[in-house]
């Protein structure tokens, strides 16, 4: 068989439970449902460092945070380490596929540091969320708006207002045909049309449904908030065990969101998902229009989820299911069965092996060979580990998924949580004390995983290193159009007019 095309489609901050065909009766996702019917859905897939930058580096490197050295946004390895990520982890995925004879293209948000880092794509068209000085001229989407639709170039925020408006229901300032999601779908379809004799490896990365929750018309009024379910909560001491959740809620003005506003936000969040679903439909149509559609492997996933008010939390960066459990769909009609469901533990790191395996020889790196797993030649993993925060610091936390169980240890205060996610998917019944036998086994597995290079700092001999609990100092995050000289709120309201 001729080597297949490989197309990765990633959303940003999409929860695992947002696909109608996989059980969500509240959301409309005909094209995601189409992908579910076209292939195999993994129902226990995880982002092993559930925040934008680290998660994306696990995808492009095939290495876990212990190897990449990136455990949170804005945190990098120390200067004594090798200078580049690729020198530590091996060539990035796009470069690897290009070296194997694939035509490569990347479209959308890539969230690298530096922002326009070379990732190995022959064609690389960016649409990043925020712009530094001069970046609008380098960003393909911002340049498109300025060039083709200057009537919208005055907008400070092309995807909706951020800062204190991050979790306030909004509507896109742009019409549906001009949003960044529509632009990404258009560019992807352009790249799917050519055929130069080589198979393609494409990566399409949508910005949504990441906040702000601002779908365009008419998707902004697609869902009635009164029909949305309320957030789920456990006991306050469990829901607030991770101090970082409290810190983040305050940082993004989400520390006092009512249930009614949470339902409004979920309605707009679902509107974003249905809108992206419609954009995905155009991409799927472009794939199906090719003569080699049956021999095209499509992988759909998200970099992480969003709490959406569950456990009184917003954003991500915890190991509650809403934040770290992600959608993970594979379809390849020429080789994989249609409409399948699998419950083996998989994660974003496995995508490297999926692409390279489809390309002829799996290079799984820190992941597993998922295609081999589907064929029965590779055993499933027994444990899956998640990491956040630099090992050996109070911010560090580790998660272990094994069978029906999930264990988390938070270095700040040494708090430990245990849930049976099969019996209690909402994680409202904490069982650490009741099932000490399971907790001991999973803690030992965590210690074993941290004996690898990069993890030793999180250990204290044969135990996990913990620290006396400390509340993190509260601060607000401001995200204004710095590239346009907007620095924040004025000290006095009248100062705004003097500045202008």
């Amino acid at each position: 068989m001729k080597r297949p095309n490989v197309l990765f489609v990633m959303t940003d901050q999409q929860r695992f439970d947002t696909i109608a065909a996989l059980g969500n009766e509240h959301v409309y996702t005909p094209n995601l449902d189409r992908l579910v019917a076209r292939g195999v859905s993994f129902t226990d897939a995880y982002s092993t460092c559930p925040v934008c930058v680290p998660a994306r580096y696990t995808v492009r490197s095939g290495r876990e945070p212990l190897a990449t050295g990136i455990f949170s946004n804005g945190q990098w390895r120390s200067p004594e380490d090798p200078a580049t990520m690729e020198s530590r982890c091996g060539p990035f995925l796009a470069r690897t596929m290009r070296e194997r004879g694939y035509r490569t293209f990347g479209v959308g948000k890539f969230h690298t540091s530096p922002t326009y880092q070379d990732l190995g794509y022959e064609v690389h068209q960016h649409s990043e969320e925020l712009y530094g000085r001069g970046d609008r001229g380098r960003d393909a989407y911002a340049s498109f708006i300025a060039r083709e639709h200057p009537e919208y170039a005055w907008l400070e925020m092309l995807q909706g207002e951020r800062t204190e408006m991050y979790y306030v229901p909004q509507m896109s300032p742009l019409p549906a045909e001009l949003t960044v999601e529509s632009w990404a779908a258009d560019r992807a379809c352009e790249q799917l049309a050519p055929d130069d004799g080589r198979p393609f490896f494409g990566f399409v990365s949508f910005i949504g449904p990441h906040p702000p929750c601002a779908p365009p018309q008419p998707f902004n009024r697609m869902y009635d908030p009164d029909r949305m379910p309320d957030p789920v909560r456990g006991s306050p001491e469990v829901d607030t065990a991770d101090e970082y959740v409290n810190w983040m809620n305050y940082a993004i003005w989400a520390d006092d969101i009512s249930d009614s506003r949470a339902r409004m936000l979920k309605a707009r969040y679902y509107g974003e998902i249905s809108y992206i679903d419609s954009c995905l439909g155009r991409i799927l149509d472009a794939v199906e229009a090719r003569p080699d559609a049956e021999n095209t492997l499509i992988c759909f996933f998200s970099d992480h989820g969003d709490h959406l008010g569950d456990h009184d939390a917003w954003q991500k960066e915890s190991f509650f299911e809403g934040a770290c459990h992600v959608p993970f769909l594979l379809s390849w009609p020429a080789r994989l069965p249609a409409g399948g469901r699998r419950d083996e533990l998989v994660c974003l790191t496995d995508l490297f092996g999926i692409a390279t395996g489809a390309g002829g020889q799996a290079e799984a790196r820190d992941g597993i060979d998922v295609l081999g797993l589907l064929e029965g030649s590779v055993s499933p993993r027994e444990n899956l580990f998640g990491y956040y925060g630099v090992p050996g610091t109070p911010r560090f936390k580790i998660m272990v998924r094994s069978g029906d169980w999930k264990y988390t240890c938070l270095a700040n205060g040494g708090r430990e949580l245990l849930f049976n996610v099969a019996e209690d998917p909402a994680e409202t019944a904490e069982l650490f004390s009741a099932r000490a036998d399971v907790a001991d086994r999973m803690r030992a597995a965590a210690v074993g995983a941290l004996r690898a290079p990069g993890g030793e700092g999180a250990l204290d001999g044969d135990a996990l290193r913990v620290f006396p609990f400390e509340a993190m100092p509260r601060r607000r995050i401001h995200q204004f159009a710095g590239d346009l000289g907007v620095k924040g709120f004025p000290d006095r309201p009248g100062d705004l007019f003097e500045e202008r």
Side-chain angles (χ1 to χ4, degrees), residues 96-261:
T96 298
M97 297 298 282
R98 188 173 178 179
E99 291 170 353
R100 295 187 180 201
Y102 274 74
R103 175 174 68 89
T104 60
F105 63 89
V107 176
K109 174 183 173 180
F110 288 84
H111 213 159
T112 57
S113 183
T115 303
Y116 297 96
Q117 181 181 11
D118 173 21
L119 300 179
Y121 293 100
E122 293 172 58
V123 175
H124 198 171
Q125 298 174 293
H126 283 266
S127 59
E128 303 299 336
E129 291 174 275
L130 298 169
Y131 309 121
R133 191 163 297 279
D135 281 351
R136 290 197 192 218
R138 302 175 67 187
D139 186 270
Y141 173 65
S143 296
F144 162 78
I145 291 295
R147 182 181 63 254
E148 303 292 336
H149 297 279
E151 66 273 22
Y152 295 107
W154 61 272
L155 288 167
E156 293 176 2
M157 292 287 172
L158 293 170
Q159 287 93 46
E161 289 195 71
R162 300 171 76 94
T163 305
E164 86 285 10
M165 299 286 288
Y166 215 58
Y167 280 106
V168 173
Q170 301 180 43
M171 182 186 76
S172 171
L174 294 164
E177 66 273 15
L178 296 183
T179 69
V180 68
E181 284 84 10
S182 183
W183 173 88
D186 288 344
R187 303 292 80 75
C189 291
E190 290 172 358
Q191 292 300 319
L192 288 168
D195 185 354
D196 64 0
R198 295 178 293 168
F200 66 76
F201 170 71
F203 199 125
V204 183
S205 178
F206 289 109
I207 287 179
H210 188 292
C213 298
Q217 290 181 337
F219 297 88
N220 63 307
R221 52 181 169 78
M222 190 170 183
Y223 295 95
D224 182 347
D226 282 336
R227 298 177 187 170
M228 295 290 102
D230 284 332
V232 300
R233 297 182 180 87
S235 65
E237 62 271 17
V238 171
D239 287 351
T240 62
D242 187 344
E243 166 63 6
Y244 194 77
V245 168
N246 298 324
W247 182 89
M248 178 57 73
N249 283 353
Y250 182 86
I252 48 127
W253 275 270
D255 45 327
D256 59 354
I257 294 180
S258 66
D259 281 356
S260 61
R261 184 163 143 207

Side-chain angles (χ1 to χ4, degrees), residues 5 7 11 51 83 85 95 100 120 143 155 158 180 184 188 223 256 259 271 273 307 315 380-381 387 412 429 439:
N5 304 311
L7 178 63
T11 53
V51 63
M85 181 74 69
R95 204 178 318 279
R100 295 187 180 201
S143 296
L155 288 167
L158 293 170
V180 68
Y223 295 95
D256 59 354
D259 281 356
I273 288 171
H307 294 106
Q315 280 281 74
R381 53 166 57 89
Y387 312 89
N412 185 17

Side-chain angles (χ1 to χ4, degrees), residues 282-305:
R282 303 212 312 269
I283 296 173
L284 297 183
D285 288 345
V287 169
E288 295 297 336
R290 293 179 58 96
D292 54 6
E294 295 289 298
N295 199 28
T296 298
L297 167 61
I298 301 176
C299 306
F300 178 89
F301 54 95
S302 187
D303 58 346
H304 50 75

Side-chain angles (χ1 to χ4, degrees), residues 294-468:
E294 295 289 298
N295 199 28
T296 298
L297 167 61
I298 301 176
C299 306
F300 178 89
F301 54 95
S302 187
D303 58 346
H304 50 75
D306 190 309
H307 294 106
L308 280 186
D310 287 350
H311 306 285
D312 280 320
W314 296 86
Q315 280 281 74
K316 51 268 187 175
E317 295 169 88
S318 90
F319 288 112
F320 281 124
E321 291 286 279
C324 65
H325 190 173
V326 296
F328 200 97
L329 313 178
L330 304 184
S331 67
W332 184 2
R335 184 165 163 183
L336 299 181
R341 303 284 192 279
R342 301 294 290 249
D343 61 2
E344 293 93 343
L345 293 169
V346 298
C347 64
L348 299 183
T349 314
D350 298 333
L351 289 161
F352 202 100
I354 291 172
T356 55
Q361 184 176 359
E363 184 182 345
R365 297 191 178 177
D366 288 345
I368 64 170
D369 177 3
V370 172
L371 296 178
L373 173 70
L374 290 171
E375 292 176 342
S377 61
V378 171
S379 298
R381 53 166 57 89
E382 180 180 351
N383 299 312
L384 186 145
F385 302 95
Y387 312 89
Y388 183 89
V390 177
T393 70
R395 284 185 67 184
F396 179 72
K397 51 200 174 197
I398 185 168
M399 178 270 285
V400 185
R401 260 299 318 262
S402 181
D404 294 340
W405 295 94
K406 182 166 70 174
Y407 163 87
T408 304
C409 179
L410 308 160
N412 185 17
R415 299 171 174 181
E416 296 174 283
L417 304 174
L418 182 69
F419 297 99
N420 185 313
V421 292
E423 296 179 358
D424 175 33
E427 298 172 293
T428 58
E430 202 283 310
L431 300 172
F432 175 74
S433 298
R435 292 302 307 269
D437 58 326
V438 177
D440 289 346
R441 171 172 57 83
M442 298 184 78
R443 185 189 306 108
V447 169
L450 291 169
R451 295 202 186 281
E456 303 96 329
L459 297 176
D460 184 5
D462 292 330
L464 297 173
R465 175 168 292 170
V466 299
F467 299 84

